[in-house]
Amino acid sequence: MEVDTGATIMLPGLVVVLGLALVVRLLSLPLLTAAQRAARRRTEAVRDGRPSALVSPAALGELVLGLAGGVGLVVLIRTQGVSGFGVLTDSVAFEETAEFAIVTDLDWSTARTVFVVLTLVLLAAGLLLWFLTQRNLLGTGPGRRLDPATRTRLALVLLLRAAVGVFVPSGLVLAALLVQAVALLTSRSGLRASVTPPAGHLPPVPAGAPAHLPPVPSRPSAQPPAHPAGYVPTQADAGPVAAHPVHQALRPGEPRTIGGYRLLGRIGAGGMGTVYLAQRQGAATQVALKTLNPELLDDTELLRRFEREARVLAMVPGDYTARVLDTGVDAGRPYLAMELLDGRPLDVHLREHGPIREPQALRALALALAVALSEVHRLGLVHRDLKPGNIMLTTAGPRLLDFGIASIVDGTRLTRTGGGPGTLTYMAPEQLDDGAVGPSADIWAWACCVVCAAHGASPFAATSTGAVIRRIVDTGPEPLALGAVQALDPALAAVVTRALTSDPAARPADGAALAELLAARPGPSAPLADAVRDQITRGWRTLAL
């Protein structure tokens, strides 16, 4: 009579446990992906200082499913209904390895040692996969770095999981390893999906923002196009013309023309307006045309806000900002035609390519933003919401976007109704109070953006709103984040450190003073000195877009 080996005896039990775990995990994959998306949204909300729910319904569902699945699996293997279940009921903490000693034909002491080592290896592998999954979901920037508070929390949970793992049956440890491997793969694919949206899909565009479009191929214009009277020419009219930018089709009921512009597609929409890809009739240049949503046209306050916003945007020069090309009203519907920019926002660039590692490119970014702020401040405006999402990295250089919540320095808010006063991780201490906010708040935000460009996240990023506020008003910026700038450009790091001084009076007074510090020469902003422009252009060429 032939005697079965230990592996043959254990194989049926292993197949049943792993098969059931895999089936349950695959059937519940939509729940897993929903929970992971919710975790990423919460991480982004906390990073940007926005409120978010502590636990999502999908995460609660995952917890309930895990507990129910674990209990069910333990009950199943204790039935001893399949060969090998006896070994899978053993655990590290309890000396119940007699079954393992029998099937392996080892003495009890040796069998005990082998069983403990194998189980601990499986447990360690499962814990490692769990940690990598959490890093994908909770980390920020390239490499998915975790802030100290999150690292501490994950370490405590890791220890708790390890302590529980030595008491549970080895079959449950094995099933958990397989389930966690699927979760890790899902979290990695989710990261790729968040970086590269599906073709034709664009996120909603904030109501005050110009178009954020990826680089597009161009074709030469055969001859300068003829424009109708009153058309404002753009720089693109003298050279290449953008061809077929990514956009969505117009929806039924949407207009096909507004103010002499033919609408080619929908770029995105916010709560107040919609941004279209448009082309002036008889012209070759495409623009981003923004208009109020039809249901808001009877709201006189919103109409006044839209008109004020158009005036603010039209006042800001085109050097390193998005330009307003045309404004008007068509059949009671106001519109705003803006320059259509190539490239991508800084936050998207950081997610796709990681921090900027070229010192000249980082300085070019810092100087271009300072020049843009100098023009904004010279007009008596304060941007109030400078952040990576409002910085466009174009082939022609950085561009400062979205003055939708700009305010006059005398304190008159241009968007008093709706919208917050900024993004928490880029807000200066004085913005947390009800007092007046001046250009120095933009200088603080400028420094945060420069640090983010070199480090991958704001120097005040944390896992909770309270922790962000404590950093802003008390503990100060993350030293490692400042160190990223110091390693690339010590002189720039010195200006950044000064700009992050809690006392507004100790910072550079405005964008012009900031630009002078960076350029080491007076008057770089009005008019823009050729030497400063050349420095930005040369430095920008070192950055791969």
Side-chain angles (χ1 to χ4, degrees):
M1 180 175 178
E2 187 177 5
V3 180
D4 290 336
T5 63
T8 303
I9 296 174
M10 290 188 292
L11 184 58
L14 293 174
V15 170
V16 170
V17 168
L18 294 178
L20 286 176
L22 183 60
V23 168
V24 172
R25 179 72 284 174
L26 293 180
L27 289 176
S28 63
L29 206 55
L31 180 64
L32 172 65
T33 55
Q36 291 185 348
R37 283 196 299 268
R40 287 196 187 92
R41 286 195 297 269
R42 182 177 183 276
T43 299
E44 294 171 357
V46 170
R47 180 191 62 199
D48 294 338
R50 295 181 280 109
S52 64
L54 291 178
V55 181
S56 68
L60 288 176
E62 270 288 285
L63 178 61
V64 172
L65 177 66
L67 292 175
V71 171
L73 185 60
V74 171
V75 172
L76 174 65
I77 60 179
R78 288 191 180 277
T79 63
Q80 303 290 328
V82 177
S83 175
F85 272 6
V87 175
L88 297 178
T89 59
D90 294 343
S91 66
V92 171
F94 300 108
E95 296 185 2
E96 299 175 355
T97 57
E99 184 80 16
F100 187 74
I102 294 173
V103 300
T104 57
D105 199 23
L106 297 173
D107 62 85
W108 189 91
S109 178
T110 303
R112 170 69 178 168
T113 302
V114 173
F115 174 82
V116 168
V117 171
L118 288 176
T119 305
L120 290 180
V121 168
L122 295 175
L123 178 61
L127 294 175
L128 176 61
L129 296 182
W130 175 85
F131 175 79
L132 295 176
T133 302
Q134 297 305 307
R135 188 184 65 175
N136 287 343
L137 299 177
L138 306 179
T140 58
R144 312 308 296 177
R145 285 189 298 271
L146 298 168
D147 61 81
T150 302
R151 284 199 299 267
T152 301
R153 179 168 60 85
L154 292 183
L156 293 176
V157 176
L158 204 64
L159 291 175
L160 178 61
R161 283 174 165 262
V164 173
V166 299
F167 289 95
V168 301
S170 60
L172 187 57
V173 173
L174 186 61
L177 174 62
L178 177 63
V179 168
Q180 198 56 60
V182 175
L184 177 61
L185 292 175
T186 305
S187 71
R188 291 178 63 86
S189 62
L191 283 176
R192 290 192 293 269
S194 65
V195 169
T196 308
H201 173 78
L202 290 175
V205 175
H212 292 180
L213 295 178
V216 295
S218 61
R219 55 178 173 85
S221 181
Q223 59 182 8
H227 303 299
Y231 177 73
V232 182
T234 72
Q235 188 177 19
D237 289 328
V241 179
H244 308 298
V246 177
H247 59 276
Q248 298 171 331
L250 295 174
R251 297 178 180 178
E254 287 189 311
R256 267 41 186 176
T257 61
I258 295 179
Y261 290 88
R262 183 167 61 94
L263 304 186
L264 306 177
R266 160 189 275 252
I267 292 174
M272 190 174 84
T274 302
V275 181
Y276 296 100
L277 176 67
Q279 190 172 17
R280 183 82 181 200
Q281 294 177 0
T285 303
Q286 294 174 345
V287 300
L289 188 139
K290 175 187 170 186
T291 183
L292 282 178
N293 293 330
E295 63 270 19
L296 303 177
L297 295 180
D298 293 332
D299 191 323
T300 55
E301 174 61 24
L302 281 180
L303 288 173
R304 284 196 294 268
R305 287 177 58 200
F306 190 93
E307 293 172 357
R308 287 197 298 264
E309 181 183 359
R311 288 199 297 269
V312 169
L313 287 166
M315 291 166 63
V316 180
D319 286 323
Y320 308 115
T321 59
R323 294 179 297 168
V324 172
L325 308 176
D326 192 12
T327 62
V329 178
D330 182 10
R333 188 172 189 170
Y335 63 86
L336 176 67
M338 293 173 289
E339 180 182 14
L340 190 64
L341 300 175
D342 67 355
R344 58 173 65 85
L346 175 58
D347 57 348
V348 175
H349 179 87
L350 294 176
R351 288 198 301 269
E352 293 182 355
H353 300 286
I356 295 176
R357 298 303 186 192
E358 299 81 6
Q360 289 180 306
L362 182 65
R363 176 168 281 271
L365 173 67
L367 185 53
L369 293 178
V371 170
L373 287 176
S374 71
E375 295 289 0
V376 172
H377 296 160
R378 183 174 62 85
L379 295 170
L381 301 171
V382 181
H383 190 287
R384 296 179 67 99
D385 194 24
L386 179 55
K387 59 185 179 182
N390 284 336
I391 299 170
M392 197 73 166
L393 308 187
T394 77
T395 54
R399 296 291 184 94
L400 181 59
L401 309 178
D402 195 358
F403 299 86
I405 63 170
S407 66
I408 302 297
V409 171
D410 66 8
T412 303
R413 284 295 305 277
L414 295 183
T415 54
R416 191 176 303 276
T417 304
T423 302
L424 185 58
T425 47
Y426 297 89
M427 288 172 59
E430 60 268 25
Q431 286 181 276
L432 303 179
D433 300 325
D434 293 329
V437 175
S440 58
D442 285 345
I443 303 302
W444 173 287
W446 167 87
C448 292
C449 289
V450 172
V451 172
C452 181
H455 175 63
S458 165
F460 298 97
T463 56
S464 66
T465 299
V468 173
I469 294 175
R470 283 194 297 273
R471 279 190 172 178
I472 293 174
V473 302
D474 186 19
T475 59
E478 168 64 44
L480 290 177
L482 295 180
V485 183
Q486 177 71 30
L488 293 174
D489 190 332
L492 175 60
V495 179
V496 166
T497 301
R498 179 176 170 183
L500 291 177
T501 303
S502 297
D503 181 8
R507 303 172 204 152
D510 54 20
L514 179 63
E516 289 181 18
L517 281 176
L518 294 172
R521 59 186 297 125
S525 58
L528 184 62
D530 290 340
V532 173
R533 191 192 305 273
D534 291 343
Q535 182 181 353
I536 295 172
T537 300
R538 288 195 306 271
W540 199 243
R541 288 172 181 167
T542 66
L543 180 64
L545 292 175

